[in-house]
Amino acid sequence: MTSASVPGQRPLRVGNCSGFYGDRASAMADMARAGGIDVLTGDYLAEVTMLILGKARAKDSTKGYATTFLQHLDAALEHLVANGIRLVVNAGGLNPAGLAAATRELVARHGHDLRVSHIEGDDVFGSLDDLRQAGHTLPHLTTGQPLSDWPHQPLTANAYLGGFGIARALRNGADIVVTGRVTDASLVVGPAAWWWGWTPDDHDALAGAVAAGHVIECGPQATGGNFSGFRTVPDLVEPGFPIAEIAADGSSVITKNPGTGGVVTHDTVTAQLLYEIGEPAYLNPDVTAHLDTATLTGLGEDRVRISGVRGSAPPETTKVAITGVGGWTNSAILALTGTDLDAKAALVERFVHRYAEAADGLDAVAVERIGQAQHDPDTQNAGTELLRITVQGTQQAAGRAFSSRVVELALSSYPGLYSLGPPQPGSAFGAYWPALLDQRTLHHTVHHHDGTTETIAPGNPDDTGGEVTPRAEPALPPQPVPAPRTDELIVAPLGEIVHARSGDKGGDANLGVWVRDREAWDWLKSTLTIDELRRLLPETRELEISRYELPHLGAVNFLIRGLLGTGATSTLRLDAQAKALGEWLRSRSIKVPRSLVPAAPWRRSRSVAPPDGAGILPRLRSSGTTRSTKSAKVPGVVA
């Protein structure tokens, strides 16, 4: 496959066709058919995915990769060839060599002779003992505890690699590059470094590519998916996948194919820039990208420029995602209907905690009430709340024994009791340990299509960098001079002033909040403090919270430590990946200057119903959680 384009003569056009293992099956073929791009990327990996692939590898050593990639490629291959599009994916997971071989077989069946390369060196599972004997403690990313303190047996261990292996594979003529655990943004950084001939010292350019990669890595989230302003997004039933046009200096334009659903705006790009980050100094193996220096500029319909992103030397260490089997989990959902709901729930909670105290091998219990029954309901469902019971421990305690005890409540507990679904045997849950490892210990290796191999040196391993090289700071976007806020305060949902995007970072939760209108920025940064966030979200009151301001984006970003316990695979929280945390915050009422609240006809008269539910809190809401633990060996479970 030979592309008609020549690297370095115009901006690189790189698209995305997958944001996770299970994303839209038709996306690769759709993007390949549309053409107009030089490189198509696909992100298939996440912490949860590595655990899934680890279980598959444990059963069959020839597996361990994202099998759906082959189905996607089968449908897209002819279009990729016809349009001269190179393909870069991390679908290799735990077995990049295996997927590369399967890819070559598929390509040959189609009668093509494409050059397939793959990248290894991220999988350190087989080296854990040697690393520890050499003095590498693999400390926890947050707590600093050594891996030896972890009570679980590792199933997978993969270090995050950078993009220069991908760049070398493309430079050597690869049409398809299959990787294991590179960072999500590296899928874009690698092609950009190849296209423009960047070196590891081109920190600003690399940082700009990291920003572009971070925006498009989750596919249609950049074009309106999961966006808090979703009601303004056209054809959100099937939004298009994003494209980044990356210039020589690392600046980029985020766009999408004409005629596809969704939209690319200042807000959809901001949402993705803030997604699942911690502090604005966003660490990658190739560069530290300072996202608080990014400036967004609208260029017309579905085109937003990201510029001014500053970069500094990468960290000496990289993250190693270690997964294991944490134990057994099970749950049951009961309905609470009618009157005396508090008493009914309390009766079940007493039963559950008595079982927890008596059962041998049960470590953690969570009882959550979900929803709020209406007063004088005109349907049975409107007068019903849900009670979710979750347990963790050994299979003997949390498996069928737990389900059987819940079934026994059917004739001996509160009136109207019924369960949603039959009793379950439960399942194993995953444990997650995000560790740090010196980049110099890794063997980042490119297996070229011609049978040769090449080792990639870590980027500036001896330069702890971290500080941005001094230069003139880019100016903030033109700001209106804020008038003194002398207008009266009214109570309104915070969501009428801000957008939000939230997600998981291991056991922590990321919550990015930014203003709809720049005139509200001064109010937001002075009002939404850590103390105010704790007031608005009582679930966070006892947790450590870090707060960062990104004035170029009119945003504040919060990192809430331990909200998800030890991670999405083991948390007892209903919203296991904190995806709806931002929407909960936006639903909370707060005192706001009247002038900042958008005018709406329904506000001026109580007799006018709000359009499409505007300004009304959802009927169902999380209403209360009680948790108990019997073992101090289950970190992150809130008592």
Side-chain angles (χ1 to χ4, degrees):
M1 176 166 55
T2 302
S3 175
S5 58
V6 179
Q9 294 189 352
R10 57 161 177 78
L12 168 74
R13 285 177 56 86
V14 54
N16 172 277
C17 66
S18 176
F20 69 102
Y21 189 11
D23 209 346
R24 191 184 309 165
S26 65
M28 184 183 293
D30 292 342
M31 291 293 285
R33 185 184 301 109
I37 56 177
D38 306 296
V39 178
L40 184 59
T41 65
D43 179 14
Y44 288 76
L45 301 183
E47 289 137 13
V48 175
T49 313
M50 303 308 283
L51 181 67
I52 295 171
L53 297 180
K55 292 179 178 179
R57 183 176 65 175
K59 295 178 180 178
D60 183 347
S61 61
T62 66
K63 299 301 182 183
Y65 54 77
T67 56
T68 54
F69 165 75
L70 295 172
Q71 302 166 22
H72 301 164
L73 180 60
D74 190 50
L77 186 59
E78 299 301 331
H79 304 298
L80 291 167
V81 172
N83 289 316
I85 301 170
R86 289 176 170 83
L87 185 63
V88 179
V89 297
N90 62 10
L94 304 178
N95 188 6
L99 183 57
T103 298
R104 294 187 187 98
E105 293 174 3
L106 187 155
V107 168
R109 288 199 302 271
H110 279 259
H112 298 294
D113 184 20
L114 301 184
R115 296 161 294 195
V116 181
S117 300
H118 72 277
I119 293 172
E120 295 180 323
D122 62 296
D123 194 340
V124 298
F125 173 70
S127 305
L128 289 177
D129 288 341
D130 291 340
L131 287 169
R132 284 186 282 191
Q133 289 176 9
H136 300 283
T137 62
L138 295 160
H140 190 280
L141 187 64
T142 301
T143 67
Q145 292 175 277
L147 178 62
S148 57
D149 286 355
W150 201 40
H152 308 295
Q153 183 66 34
L155 182 65
T156 69
N158 294 80
Y160 284 67
L161 301 179
F164 276 97
I166 296 170
R168 294 299 302 176
L170 293 170
R171 183 174 299 178
N172 201 41
D175 299 307
I176 299 175
V177 182
V178 175
T179 81
R181 201 19 157 162
V182 299
T183 70
D184 301 344
S186 292
L187 296 171
V188 172
V189 173
W194 156 67
W195 188 266
W196 292 114
W198 294 336
T199 71
D201 293 326
D202 290 318
H203 292 155
D204 289 345
L206 291 168
V210 165
H214 183 57
V215 168
I216 73 170
E217 73 190 37
C218 286
Q221 278 197 171
T223 60
N226 295 345
F227 172 47
S228 55
F230 72 99
R231 290 191 300 173
T232 66
V233 177
D235 194 13
L236 192 54
V237 173
E238 192 168 276
F241 277 66
I243 296 169
E245 301 172 353
I246 304 175
D249 63 354
S251 63
S252 63
V253 174
I254 308 300
T255 185
K256 67 181 185 68
N257 282 319
T260 58
V263 67
V264 176
T265 68
H266 185 287
D267 285 326
T268 65
V269 173
T270 298
Q272 202 52 29
L273 278 174
L274 294 174
Y275 184 56
E276 292 184 346
I277 66 170
E279 61 180 293
Y282 190 56
L283 303 179
N284 269 254
D286 298 317
V287 69
T288 299
H290 298 268
L291 298 182
D292 53 346
T293 62
T295 298
L296 304 185
T297 307
L299 301 180
E301 184 176 0
D302 294 321
R303 293 182 66 80
V304 175
R305 180 185 300 281
I306 306 174
S307 60
V309 183
R310 305 285 300 281
S312 59
E316 289 184 302
T317 57
T318 189
K319 184 167 80 170
V320 180
I322 303 174
T323 69
V325 177
W328 205 259
T329 187
N330 205 349
S331 64
I333 299 178
L334 306 179
L336 306 169
T337 305
T339 60
D340 302 320
L341 300 189
D342 290 345
K344 292 172 180 176
L347 180 58
V348 174
E349 288 183 23
R350 290 198 298 273
F351 156 79
V352 170
H353 292 304
R354 181 175 296 177
Y355 173 73
E357 290 299 323
D360 184 23
L362 203 64
D363 299 324
V365 174
V367 181
E368 299 172 287
R369 282 176 66 175
I370 306 166
Q372 185 174 40
Q374 289 184 0
H375 173 70
D376 191 21
D378 55 4
T379 68
Q380 181 173 325
N381 285 349
T384 299
E385 297 179 9
L386 303 180
L387 195 68
R388 177 177 178 262
I389 309 163
T390 306
V391 295
Q392 289 181 351
T394 64
Q395 184 173 358
Q396 181 177 2
R400 286 289 184 186
F402 164 75
S403 297
S404 297
R405 290 291 286 131
V406 173
V407 169
E408 292 173 3
L409 291 175
L411 304 181
S412 62
S413 191
Y414 64 84
L417 183 153
Y418 65 91
S419 64
L420 277 67
Q424 299 296 318
S427 61
F429 69 87
Y432 176 59
W433 184 274
L436 292 174
L437 183 63
D438 191 323
Q439 291 203 57
R440 291 171 294 188
T441 64
L442 302 177
H443 302 285
H444 186 173
T445 305
V446 185
H447 295 267
H448 291 295
H449 62 90
D450 58 8
T452 62
T453 61
E454 181 177 359
T455 300
I456 306 300
N460 295 343
D462 296 315
D463 185 351
T464 55
E467 295 297 327
V468 181
T469 302
R471 76 176 189 193
E473 287 288 341
L476 284 167
Q479 303 293 313
V481 177
R485 294 293 174 191
T486 58
D487 51 336
E488 68 172 311
L489 296 177
I490 63 173
V491 176
L494 185 57
E496 296 202 12
I497 314 298
V498 304
H499 289 297
R501 171 67 64 79
S502 58
D504 62 315
K505 287 185 70 65
D508 304 334
N510 148 254
L511 174 56
V513 184
W514 71 101
V515 293
R516 292 172 176 259
D517 188 322
R518 291 293 308 199
E519 289 192 3
W521 167 236
D522 285 332
W523 173 83
L524 176 68
K525 71 178 181 180
S526 63
T527 301
L528 196 55
T529 62
I530 291 176
D531 286 343
E532 180 65 2
L533 184 74
R534 288 193 171 114
R535 185 190 71 81
L536 293 169
L537 305 183
E539 193 175 345
T540 70
R541 283 178 180 167
E542 303 302 320
L543 301 177
E544 178 187 345
I545 301 176
S546 298
R547 179 185 184 274
Y548 308 97
E549 293 184 2
L550 295 88
H552 286 268
L553 302 178
V556 291
N557 190 60
F558 296 95
L559 192 63
I560 304 169
R561 305 284 186 182
L563 183 70
L564 305 179
T566 56
T569 58
S570 58
T571 182
L572 295 177
R573 197 171 185 273
L574 181 64
D575 180 13
Q577 293 179 293
K579 298 294 187 182
L581 185 66
E583 290 303 288
W584 176 26
L585 177 67
R586 294 179 67 248
S587 73
R588 293 306 310 270
S589 293
I590 191 171
K591 291 182 180 180
V592 185
R594 180 182 292 276
S595 61
L596 296 181
V597 179
W602 58 269
R603 281 201 170 279
R604 294 193 290 268
S605 171
R606 291 185 179 180
S607 63
V608 179
D612 200 19
I616 297 179
L617 300 186
R619 173 180 296 175
L620 288 180
R621 61 179 176 82
S622 177
S623 61
T625 304
T626 62
R627 291 181 171 92
S628 68
T629 62
K630 289 180 62 180
S631 173
K633 295 182 180 180
V634 186
V637 178
V638 180

